[in-house]
Amino acid sequence: MDKKTIGIGLLGAWQDHIYRFAETIVKNGDVKADSFRHWKNSTYEDCRLVAAWDNKEERGKALADAFQIDFEPDLNKFLSNPCIDAVIICSETANHAAHIIAAANAGKHIFVEKSPFADLEGAYLARDAVKKSGVHFMVSSPMEKPRNRFAKNLVDEGKLGTITEVRFRLYSEHGNTLTEPVGIYNKEENGGGVMNDFGQHGVHVTSWFLGKPVSVSAQFDYTTEFAKKYKTEDNVVAVYEFENGGIGIVEAGWVAQAHDCVLDVCGTNGTVHIIGDDVTFYENGEKDVHDDVKYLLQGENWIHVPNTELPEKILYPLRHWVDNIINDTPDDRQTIDDAVLWTEMICAAYRAADKNEIIL
């Protein structure tokens, strides 16, 4: 690998986020999207796109054509390309483990869109392959935005006392607007339903604050006709108990008219309440996207925190991964061990929902 340039292959276009990752590289970080306001400005002149692969030729060619790179229909040839040093994986979630193992065995560094895995067996095999190969690995996750790190800093400083509950809620209206093909409701591709999709963010956050869980109970509902037809959950609540006695609540759904992400962190001495990506609409048709962050400490009133007082922005996960590769620094964010823990938590919730009992 040229020390100054990383050749990147695009492995799969099932998840449309692959276009955002590729655009970020091609436009050298100059991407005009609301989500990028959360991250430190960074450039990508040390990266170049090499080729694309997908198991559906039409989908793969469309991706390759969009960024004027080669399409390689043979996965083995794609991974053996000496010009590819690293891959961004956005294939079907159910195929992530096989693709991560293949990429690791080929010596390619790996950036994978959530959810990283659909089942525990694949997660464990992929972990072994990644660690044996020594490649750099990272899961794409937006959970370390300044608003969430503000709450984490209060916890780490002990200002909230003993943390008793972390509640995370994320909903969208995707299930209400879908038409055929089923897309995210296809369990054979998605590895599950909304628990394995939006629930991924919730298990990341609750474990980030509370550590490793010891038990879980869960309620899965099947609201839309798609959910009933394909037996894919689209409205869920999972309640985890953690080793320190704290409770983590993950709420996720595709059947609500809301995109805002809510996080509550409650402790014996205080509480943080966050509404992320809150939108204010004005009479002239303009809108303002912002985070609503406030906290309450013992004996005080609610304190609203302006965006200017949130923690300093950190690198976008994709850029952090690239830096780890270039500098050969240890993987320290959204690692393979994190990915396995989140998969254990999600799979335990599925078992709990099926058996209606506490199990992990």
Side-chain angles (χ1 to χ4, degrees):
M1 180 180 70
D2 186 321
K3 186 177 181 180
K4 301 252 183 222
T5 305
I6 298 175
I8 294 179
L10 306 178
L11 200 164
W14 181 79
Q15 295 163 311
D16 60 8
H17 290 172
I18 192 67
Y19 284 87
R20 184 182 65 194
F21 299 137
E23 182 186 20
T24 301
I25 293 169
V26 169
K27 291 188 176 181
N28 202 22
D30 187 21
V31 179
K32 308 300 182 185
D34 285 341
S35 60
F36 280 87
R37 68 187 176 86
H38 300 287
W39 308 103
K40 184 183 295 185
N41 292 333
S42 55
T43 58
Y44 294 81
E45 56 270 288
D46 48 9
C47 303
R48 65 185 181 92
L49 300 183
V50 176
W53 172 89
D54 193 89
N55 56 8
K56 293 186 177 179
E57 185 171 324
E58 181 179 358
R59 192 165 63 191
K61 282 186 174 179
L63 175 63
D65 291 345
F67 298 101
Q68 299 182 333
I69 57 178
D70 293 333
F71 170 68
E72 173 52 68
D74 187 296
L75 181 59
N76 290 329
K77 289 182 179 179
F78 173 82
L79 290 174
S80 63
N81 186 336
C83 295
I84 294 178
D85 306 299
V87 294
I88 299 174
I89 297 178
C90 284
S91 56
E92 298 87 346
T93 304
N95 293 333
H96 281 179
H99 291 157
I100 288 170
I101 292 168
N105 289 343
K108 310 301 183 184
H109 305 288
I110 300 161
F111 185 84
V112 60
E113 174 62 335
K114 61 86 184 169
S115 292
F117 303 111
D119 61 80
L120 286 174
E121 181 181 4
Y124 295 146
L125 291 172
R127 179 177 60 187
D128 292 344
V130 168
K131 292 194 172 185
K132 182 179 179 180
S133 69
V135 299
H136 290 284
F137 173 95
M138 191 172 187
V139 181
S140 170
S141 176
M143 290 299 103
E144 293 181 331
K145 295 173 181 176
R147 66 189 188 221
N148 295 342
R149 288 171 43 242
F150 175 83
K152 187 67 165 59
N153 288 345
L154 287 182
V155 171
D156 292 344
E157 293 165 4
K159 292 183 178 179
L160 301 186
T162 300
I163 303 306
T164 55
E165 181 182 300
V166 176
R167 173 177 174 260
F168 178 91
R169 177 171 67 86
L170 180 61
Y171 286 95
S172 80
E173 79 291 351
H174 292 147
N176 299 326
T177 60
L178 273 182
T179 57
E180 295 284 2
V182 296
I184 54 177
Y185 279 87
N186 187 336
K187 288 196 292 187
E188 292 183 2
E189 295 180 348
N190 199 30
V194 74
M195 186 65 204
N196 203 39
D197 186 30
F198 283 2
Q200 172 77 23
H201 298 313
V203 299
H204 178 178
V205 169
T206 54
S207 63
W208 190 30
F209 282 94
L210 292 170
K212 183 177 175 58
V214 295
S215 66
V216 59
S217 58
Q219 176 66 52
F220 288 9
D221 287 338
Y222 305 82
T223 306
T224 64
E225 291 305 312
F226 278 115
K228 296 170 184 175
K229 179 179 179 180
Y230 298 106
K231 297 180 174 59
T232 304
E233 82 285 352
D234 55 6
N235 190 34
V236 306
V237 177
V239 180
Y240 294 90
E241 180 186 7
F242 287 80
E243 290 177 341
N244 68 349
I247 294 173
I249 303 172
V250 176
E251 303 172 41
W254 291 326
V255 287
Q257 295 296 314
H259 281 285
D260 58 330
C261 178
V262 178
L263 172 63
D264 289 312
V265 182
C266 305
T268 53
N269 292 337
T271 296
V272 183
H273 177 66
I274 298 172
I275 302 177
D277 297 325
D278 195 20
V279 180
T280 301
F281 293 93
Y282 300 100
E283 291 183 0
N284 62 4
E286 295 182 356
K287 68 176 182 179
D288 175 40
V289 181
H290 57 92
D291 296 322
D292 184 8
V293 181
K294 62 182 180 180
Y295 67 100
L296 173 70
L297 298 181
Q298 199 170 43
E300 298 181 1
N301 296 320
W302 283 103
I303 300 173
H304 288 265
V305 184
N307 285 357
T308 54
E309 294 184 13
L310 294 179
E312 182 180 356
K313 298 175 183 178
I314 61 176
L315 288 174
Y316 186 51
L318 182 66
R319 180 65 244 182
H320 189 92
W321 171 67
V322 169
D323 282 355
N324 282 346
I325 297 170
I326 290 177
N327 301 317
D328 196 24
T329 46
D331 297 340
D332 55 351
R333 288 172 59 191
Q334 289 109 252
T335 68
I336 187 65
D337 289 324
D338 292 328
V340 170
L341 172 60
W342 302 337
T343 306
E344 289 173 337
M345 292 175 66
I346 289 171
C347 289
Y350 278 102
R351 298 198 307 273
D354 286 342
K355 297 183 179 180
N356 195 29
E357 63 183 3
I358 297 175
I359 181 171
L360 188 64

